[in-house]
Amino acid sequence: MKLGVLTGGGDCPGLNAAIRAVVRRAVSLNIGIDGILEGWKGLLTSHFRPLDIASVSGILPMGGTILGTTRINPLKTPEMKRKVIENFRRSPLDGVLAIGGEGTMRVSYAFHKAGIPTIGIPKTIDNDLWGTDVTIGFDTAVQIATDAIDRLHTTAESHHRVMIVEVMGRHTGWIAACAGIAGGGDAILIPEVPFSLNHLIRLLKQRASRGKNFSIIVVSEDARLYEGVGRKKKILKTPTKKDEYGDIKLGGIGMLLARELQKRTSFEIRVTELGHVQRGGTPTAYDRILATRLGVEAVNLAHSGKFGRMVGIQGNKIISLPLQQVVKKIKTVDPAFYKLAEVFFG
Ligand code: F6P
């Protein structure tokens, strides 16, 4: 048996740990393994690289991906799809292990139905994949955002400022909610829970009246903010530029929020957009362990011929489920979890 492994979509810490786990488990089962370079693009161009124990030695703590990644969508045109299938058939591969997020899982499922046996390994700092409690990269991103909030606290307090921290997460607020709770955010704005600007201002004033002359607002990049209750007027407009998968390119909400707050209050405001810092650097121990467990399980599944599935973690158990189920919806922040965060607002 020979498998191909690829990393697709945005990178994140823990990808190399997953690649290492896949290779080490494959070698132990006498399965040959090729790296498919730069995500699905590698199958479009037949760009493979044989992997062995030596090629993954020392990569466990490294951020990024030794295979490279792109956001190329191979389903964009029928020609691209055909080319990938043709190249796979001509290759020595019996299956593909795709380490990726929502877009990669959608593509994996489509190709699985088209005759390329695939198995998904979930990674994304956004943690929005259905069917797994946690995705590779999320824990590290939350830690990075929490560290940033801790640092912003001290300078916010010295200068009596309102600090807005914009975090990534696409259409879900997992990073904002978790880093906001861990870092003691005074308000956390996430896409799942529309927030009123008037309420936000009330919270800031409430803090000031308690003698707290600084505040930290954690805002997720796709948060919804409205003028008041009744949600009549949306204050922050969503950007419209899209990537290859048709996903909106987000970013910049922190500045917009600052502008609106500045118009209505006298607080001194500063904005930090954490951006791709959240995707860089060495993975946490949790991410390394998760990546290792998921990588090994993906190869185990392939070895027993169970393709068309994604591995995941539920509770502390490694599980797998059909890709068909995974691609149906995204995993949003549990309202009860957000309620917990709200206890500490203001
Ligand atoms: O999906 C991961 C993610 O980092 C999102 O949180 C963010 O919206 C997007 O990717 C950024 O994409 P890019 O790396 O293409 O700018």
Side-chain angles (χ1 to χ4, degrees), residues 56-100:
V56 295
S57 167
I59 70 170
L60 174 64
M62 279 167 47
T65 160
I66 60 162
L67 299 177
T69 184
T70 52
R71 286 204 186 277
I72 279 187
N73 178 3
L75 302 174
K76 202 171 173 190
T77 66
E79 291 73 39
M80 286 166 87
K81 185 174 177 186
R82 200 162 355 98
K83 188 84 191 141
V84 166
I85 295 169
E86 207 178 283
N87 286 346
F88 176 79
R89 286 198 183 129
R90 286 207 192 118
S91 78
L93 302 178
D94 300 299
V96 173
L97 307 185
I99 311 172

Side-chain angles (χ1 to χ4, degrees), residues 170-225:
R170 224 187 266 285
H171 308 306
T172 64
W174 287 104
I175 299 177
C178 290
I181 290 173
D186 303 304
I188 303 170
L189 279 54
I190 64 171
E192 292 89 337
V193 184
F195 215 93
S196 122
L197 189 61
N198 292 342
H199 180 51
L200 182 59
I201 293 170
R202 256 196 317 274
L203 291 175
L204 297 177
K205 290 190 172 159
Q206 185 181 309
R207 270 180 68 75
S209 69
R210 280 200 290 121
K212 289 286 184 187
N213 48 16
F214 70 96
S215 292
I216 303 280
I217 303 172
V218 184
V219 58
S220 189
E221 59 183 354
D222 195 27
R224 314 287 150 104
L225 199 73

Side-chain angles (χ1 to χ4, degrees), residues 316-333:
N316 193 27
K317 268 206 158 69
I318 298 299
I319 53 92
S320 75
L321 70 168
L323 280 166
Q324 189 182 10
Q325 279 177 30
V326 174
V327 298
K328 278 193 185 140
K329 45 185 164 180
I330 59 169
K331 183 184 72 203
T332 51
V333 172

